[in-house]
Amino acid sequence: MGAQFERFLEKYISAWYIPEIKVVDIIEIIIISVLVYEIMVWIKNTKAWMLLKGMLVLCAFILVAAIFEMNTILFLASHAIDVLAMAAVVVFQPELRRALEKLGEKNILSSVVPLDKKKESVRFSTETIDGIVRACFEMGKVKTGALIVVERAIKLTEYESTGIRLDCLVSSQVLINIFEHNTPLHDGAIIIRGDRIVSATCYLPLSDNMKLSKDLGTRHRAAVGMSEVSDALIIAVSEETGAVSIAMGGRLERNVRPERLTERLLDVQDRTVERKRLIPWKGRRKDERKTDK
């Protein structure tokens, strides 16, 4: 056993060398480190985390086989890698799609070189914010369940098509009437684009996050799931407790107050502020709000 281990070290370790390090190499290492970190965060928040643990166990087994020169196992492993990689792409196609959507969500080029000068600097008006906040807490008082999706940069057309199309201005009265018990539109989520409600009774993807509290129902899991696949802000009103929660970026903030909900809506209202955040050398605007990490 000792002789086999020594031969393994002589074959693989003795050939190592320390190359000359240049500035470009350091930049390349930083870029790769950031990419690996983002990939690891994505893997941890999806079902791919179980796949990664299985791959680590498999790699450890192959390493042991290489040390003890188990040629048959090494031959089978070398020919199975391509098949396993193809199978992983097929099995985890939804997660890969979400990752690409998140990458497109960054919109770095248009933030550095703004090409959409004709677009408005805000997504929705202050009246819309007031209507959403008032409706959520009015429904919370009487324990009327609600699920409200506030669209941002990523268009939610595919989820909009799962419901009944609407075209009406946002107001507290309209929102309360939509989610009133035993009404045709109360079940499911509504999608708000700008100052208008564009769809109701929409089906949202449920989150697979195992860290979510077990006392959360389908409505809150749908809110978190939607926030995982888009940049939208989702508001959930509990039918059991009347508490208002906010989901964004895969995170759920529970039992918020009206002031906090207003603050979060103001944070996503201003498009100009979001573009500023992606240009660090231009500094922070004086009136820009800090968002939670």
Side-chain angles (χ1 to χ4, degrees):
M1 177 176 177
Q4 291 177 338
F5 186 71
E6 289 178 2
R7 286 199 301 271
F8 174 80
L9 292 178
E10 290 177 358
K11 183 176 181 180
Y12 294 101
I13 307 300
S14 62
W16 288 6
Y17 71 97
I18 300 177
E20 181 183 355
I21 299 177
K22 302 177 182 179
V23 176
V24 176
D25 298 326
I26 297 175
I27 296 175
E28 188 175 11
I29 291 172
I30 293 174
I31 293 174
I32 294 175
S33 301
V34 172
L35 291 175
V36 170
Y37 172 78
E38 292 292 339
I39 292 173
M40 293 297 293
V41 170
W42 169 73
I43 288 176
K44 189 173 182 180
N45 292 329
T46 63
K47 292 182 292 185
W49 178 240
M50 300 301 296
L51 174 65
L52 179 62
K53 291 194 290 187
M55 290 177 61
L56 292 176
V57 173
L58 184 61
C59 289
F61 181 73
I62 293 175
L63 180 61
V64 172
I67 293 175
F68 293 100
E69 298 181 356
M70 301 177 181
N71 296 323
T72 303
I73 294 177
L74 294 176
F75 173 80
L76 293 175
S78 63
H79 286 74
I81 288 177
D82 295 337
V83 178
L84 291 175
M86 185 71 68
V89 171
V90 174
V91 171
F92 292 96
Q93 182 269 337
E95 281 74 17
L96 292 172
R97 178 184 174 184
R98 293 175 189 175
L100 292 175
E101 287 176 346
K102 288 290 184 181
L103 182 62
E105 168 190 333
K106 302 301 181 181
N107 205 12
I108 297 176
L109 180 60
S110 62
S111 300
V112 176
V113 184
L115 301 176
D116 53 347
K117 294 181 180 179
K118 295 183 180 180
K119 291 185 178 180
E120 297 179 359
S121 60
V122 295
R123 292 190 171 89
F124 41 81
S125 64
T126 305
E127 289 76 12
T128 295
I129 294 177
D130 293 339
I132 294 173
V133 175
R134 186 179 300 110
C136 287
F137 287 92
E138 286 294 328
M139 289 187 290
K141 289 179 182 178
V142 295
K143 295 184 178 179
T144 298
L147 192 55
I148 301 172
V149 181
V150 181
E151 185 184 78
R152 297 175 65 197
I154 295 179
K155 296 298 181 183
L156 306 177
T157 307
E158 61 176 304
Y159 303 103
E160 175 187 343
S161 62
T162 64
I164 298 174
R165 294 186 181 276
L166 301 177
D167 184 18
C168 61
L169 285 172
V170 176
S171 69
S172 58
Q173 295 87 348
V174 171
L175 293 174
I176 292 173
N177 285 335
I178 287 176
F179 290 108
E180 184 64 33
H181 293 291
N182 302 321
T183 57
L185 302 179
H186 84 281
D187 195 19
I190 68 166
I191 295 177
I192 294 177
R193 178 178 299 135
D195 291 316
R196 309 190 75 83
I197 301 172
V198 296
S199 189
T201 69
C202 299
Y203 294 100
L204 305 184
L206 299 181
S207 174
D208 295 324
N209 189 349
M210 302 302 295
K211 294 182 180 180
L212 291 176
S213 176
K214 300 299 181 182
D215 62 348
L216 293 177
T218 304
R219 182 176 287 108
H220 289 80
R221 288 192 171 273
V224 176
M226 190 65 179
S227 71
E228 290 173 344
V229 301
S230 70
D231 62 344
L233 184 146
I234 302 93
I235 306 166
V237 181
S238 174
E239 192 171 358
E240 289 75 24
T241 65
V244 178
S245 303
I246 303 171
M248 190 171 174
R251 298 182 180 182
L252 184 67
E253 188 176 352
R254 303 176 66 182
N255 302 319
V256 300
R257 305 300 302 165
E259 297 79 12
R260 179 57 177 164
L261 178 56
T262 302
E263 181 183 3
R264 295 304 301 271
L265 287 169
L266 287 171
D267 285 338
V268 303
Q269 177 191 32
D270 195 343
R271 292 174 173 172
T272 307
V273 171
E274 293 179 357
R275 286 196 291 265
K276 287 282 187 179
R277 287 175 184 152
L278 293 177
I279 313 178
W281 57 83
K282 289 191 176 182
R284 181 182 290 273
R285 284 183 5 174
K286 294 181 180 180
D287 59 340
E288 182 178 343
R289 294 174 176 267
K290 295 181 179 179
T291 57
D292 292 343
K293 294 182 179 180

